[in-house]
């Protein structure tokens, strides 16, 4: 099995890469929604980032990748305390998936053959402490998307049916991607994703050629290509790990909070989810840049990622979401 494409070798798509890095630093930001053309590296970026991150230590045999025996749910029946190292989990959620497959359900085989009422964990258990990726999230049934966003926000999967009452940790970064020409997400669901970004096929010929060269080298000269990018990925991994450590000590001034609130009011963001997400994203960005305090430049750089999908639609303004955010950021925070 080939190692995933190196994250550092992805050409362009800077906003998408930045969004994913920020959620790797602070998973509580709430996931990423990536909309755009097919073949623009959306799924490649998710797998590449997960492969770049440090492996996790998990309790051997635990279906939810628990970090310690105390974190392992009782229904899992894990009696040992041996830890082993595994890659950061990346779980694909296919279209047409049933709710039982997502949340887990009664283990029918055990019920029929042994007469035991046992729990068969689902995809949410597998994704704990990792990434849950949904391609074409806009085509997924609304109640499944709603369920996923609820669990992603609470960090816990609760199954109460068929005589079962099961809880287990389900802390993962939800990444959804799709092509808007095939359908849109309801605004209520859009707002539940922490960050949002649009991607497009590059129009610059030199950039397209570079994409072709790197992909061709990845497929035909795999070992040497991976070796060439190992150092770049290693440096990025170190920056992400350092940013995670620095996040708690980052200074956030009263003025930064005022800036964030004024931006959200000016953009017409309903509720307070926009402020909270922008603050987390800007703080993660500041930590990644090695800053010790949150500044306006960090808020400015992350405003579009956190707010573009939360703006009220203006039928009289035909400018794109990013353009509108940039214009209001300039009005509120200055150029």
């Amino acid at each position: 099995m080939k190692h995933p494409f190196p994250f550092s070798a992805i050409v362009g798509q800077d906003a998408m890469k930045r969004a994913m890095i920020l959620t790797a630093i602070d998973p509580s930001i709430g996931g990423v929604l990536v909309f755009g053309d097919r073949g623009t590296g959306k799924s490649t970026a998710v797998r590449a980032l997960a492969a770049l991150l440090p492996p996790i230590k998990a309790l051997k045999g635990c279906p939810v990748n628990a970090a310690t025996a105390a974190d392992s749910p009782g229904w899992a029946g894990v009696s040992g305390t041996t830890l082993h190292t595994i890659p950061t989990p990346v779980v694909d959620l296919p279209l047409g998936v049933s709710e039982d497959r997502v949340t887990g359900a009664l283990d029918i085989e055990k019920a029929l053959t042994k007469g035991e009422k046992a729990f068969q964990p689902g995809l949410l258990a597998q994704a704990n402490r990792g990434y849950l990726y949904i391609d074409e999230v806009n085509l997924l049934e609304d109640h499944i998307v709603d369920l996923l966003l609820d669990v992603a926000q609470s960090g816990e999967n609760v199954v109460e049916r068929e005589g079962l009452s099961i809880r287990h940790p389900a802390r993962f970064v939800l990444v959804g991607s799709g092509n808007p020409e095939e359908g849109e997400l309801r605004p209520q669901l859009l707002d539940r994703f922490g960050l949002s970004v649009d991607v497009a096929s590059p129009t610059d010929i030199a950039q397209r050629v570079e994409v072709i060269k790197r992909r061709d080298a990845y497929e035909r000269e795999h070992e040497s290509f991976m070796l060439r990018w190992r150092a770049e990925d290693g440096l990025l991994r170190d920056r992400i790990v350092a940013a995670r450590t620095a996040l708690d000590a980052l200074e956030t001034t009263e003025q930064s909070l005022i800036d964030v609130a004024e931006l959200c009011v000016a953009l017409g963001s309903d509720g307070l989810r926009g402020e909270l997400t922008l603050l987390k994203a800007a703080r993660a960005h500041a930590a990644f840049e090695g800053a010790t305090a949150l500044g306006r430049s960090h808020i400015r750089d992350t405003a579009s990622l956190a707010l573009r999908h939360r703006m009220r639609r203006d039928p009289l303004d035909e400018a794109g979401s990013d353009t509108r955010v940039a214009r209001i950021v300039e009005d509120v925070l200055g150029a």
Side-chain angles (χ1 to χ4, degrees), residues 208-334:
R208 293 181 78 102
V209 169
E210 189 60 30
V211 172
I212 296 167
K213 281 182 179 175
R214 293 186 189 180
R215 190 69 203 188
D216 187 53
Y218 171 74
E219 292 177 0
R220 296 196 308 114
E221 305 160 8
H222 185 73
E223 294 300 325
S224 59
F225 182 79
M226 295 304 297
L227 188 62
R228 196 184 317 155
W229 288 96
R230 186 173 297 162
E232 293 286 332
D233 267 6
L235 289 173
L236 182 56
R237 181 190 304 115
D238 292 344
R239 284 186 69 185
I240 291 172
V241 171
R244 286 174 175 173
T245 305
L247 202 54
D248 286 342
L250 195 84
E251 182 186 355
T252 303
T253 64
E254 185 74 13
Q255 184 57 51
S256 294
L257 301 180
I258 293 171
D259 288 343
V260 166
E262 287 183 343
L263 260 184
C264 289
V265 170
L267 283 162
S269 172
D270 293 327
L272 292 171
R273 197 171 280 152
E275 276 96 332
L276 295 171
T277 304
L278 175 55
L279 182 62
K280 288 180 180 180
R283 284 171 55 84
H285 179 51
F288 185 66
E289 294 294 314
T292 56
L294 180 61
R296 279 192 163 176
S297 63
H298 308 123
I299 297 171
R300 188 181 292 114
D301 290 347
T302 50
S304 185
L305 294 174
L307 301 177
R308 62 189 306 282
H309 55 303
R310 296 191 164 90
M311 291 187 301
R312 289 183 196 138
R313 292 189 177 178
D314 183 352
L316 301 179
D317 191 342
E318 295 182 353
S321 301
D322 291 327
T323 303
R324 287 179 60 200
V325 172
R327 193 170 59 208
I328 294 174
V329 166
E330 186 175 336
D331 289 345
V332 175
L333 303 183

Side-chain angles (χ1 to χ4, degrees), residues 32-103:
V32 185
L33 181 63
V34 186
F35 261 26
D37 302 335
R38 293 178 185 278
T40 45
K42 300 186 288 288
S43 59
T44 298
V46 177
R47 291 179 176 78
L49 180 64
L52 173 148
L53 295 176
I56 62 173
K57 286 189 175 179
L59 191 65
K60 202 167 186 177
C62 179
V64 300
N65 310 318
T68 66
D71 293 337
S72 183
W75 56 262
V78 180
S79 54
T81 57
T82 305
L83 298 178
H84 66 152
T85 301
I86 60 173
T88 298
V90 180
V91 174
D92 284 288
L93 193 139
L95 288 178
V97 68
S98 68
E99 186 171 331
D100 283 356
R101 179 75 183 106
V102 175
T103 62

